[in-house]
Amino acid sequence: MQRENIFFVFRLMLSVVLLVFLAMLAIEFIFSSGVDSISIFLTSSGVLPQLLYLFFGGVVFCLIILLLQGDETVQCLIEPKGVLKRTWIKPSRLKCATRLIRFDKHNILLNAENIPFLLAHEEYLAFPDVKRYALYPRSQRVKLYRPYAFLFMYFKVPRDSWDEAADMIASKLKKLG
């Protein structure tokens, strides 16, 4: 389980709890007789502890799902026309079910060590479709944005090939510079 996934789970559940709280507050304001009922709602109704339970329950549930998904192997191929990113997993029925993909024995491939792998996700992003990009040399990360301000592809480049990959991406996307 990656650190980015854990932080995403916390941000997601914080957003969900905040939306539920605002919706409940709006409903209470609409159907109540005044501002006094809002203060009673916030202090005496027990809604705040329930929202805290919702937050921690959702975090635990999401982290269990992430643990059940298992490890994944990500391959990125930077081509002259774009970037191909593939995500492979060691297949099992449980791992496929938690990723909401079908377990199909016919699609399982063996690698060089005879370990079975299943292609879980594949995406291709052509360089002309990229509207914005960010290179992070310190952590060897590349972020490519298709529409403005929407992250489409995120991947890490091995340390030994960072300079070559960064130069290729920068040369292909120099119009965005």
Side-chain angles (χ1 to χ4, degrees):
M1 191 169 12
Q2 294 179 342
R3 187 183 70 188
E4 293 90 10
N5 292 342
I6 294 171
F7 288 138
F8 174 74
V9 166
F10 278 98
R11 286 192 320 260
L12 175 72
M13 286 312 302
L14 189 62
S15 300
V16 166
V17 167
L18 185 63
L19 286 173
V20 168
F21 175 70
L22 290 175
M24 291 174 68
L25 194 62
I27 290 171
E28 182 67 25
F29 183 73
I30 291 170
F31 293 115
S32 69
S33 58
V35 180
D36 293 336
S37 63
I38 297 287
S39 63
I40 293 171
F41 171 72
L42 291 175
T43 57
S44 303
S45 68
V47 72
L48 296 178
Q50 294 298 323
L51 290 174
L52 196 63
Y53 296 148
L54 174 67
F55 175 77
F56 286 116
V59 166
V60 168
F61 176 76
C62 290
L63 291 177
I64 288 171
I65 293 295
L66 284 175
L67 282 173
L68 291 177
Q69 286 181 356
D71 291 333
E72 58 186 26
T73 302
V74 178
Q75 292 178 328
C76 290
L77 177 63
I78 303 172
E79 301 175 334
K81 294 186 179 198
V83 179
L84 174 67
K85 181 180 174 184
R86 290 183 175 158
T87 304
W88 298 87
I89 61 170
K90 292 179 184 175
S92 72
R93 293 194 185 277
L94 181 62
K95 289 178 184 178
C96 290
T98 56
R99 289 179 182 266
L100 302 177
I101 59 175
R102 200 177 94 189
F103 180 80
D104 189 6
K105 291 182 181 180
H106 302 294
N107 291 333
I108 297 174
L109 304 173
L110 298 175
N111 66 3
E113 293 87 26
N114 277 343
I115 297 174
F117 276 92
L118 178 69
L119 182 63
H121 184 70
E122 181 178 45
E123 54 191 341
Y124 185 81
L125 180 59
F127 285 127
D129 294 339
V130 175
K131 300 299 180 211
R132 190 168 59 103
Y133 72 100
L135 300 174
Y136 300 97
R138 212 165 162 202
S139 60
Q140 286 84 37
R141 292 180 301 141
V142 177
K143 291 183 180 181
L144 301 174
Y145 298 84
R146 188 164 51 190
Y148 185 75
F150 179 74
L151 179 64
F152 183 73
M153 191 179 288
Y154 167 83
F155 57 93
K156 288 189 173 191
V157 177
R159 200 173 284 281
D160 57 344
S161 58
W162 169 256
D163 293 331
E164 182 183 346
D167 290 342
M168 183 176 188
I169 290 172
S171 69
K172 293 294 180 182
L173 301 173
K174 64 184 169 203
K175 66 181 187 304
L176 302 174

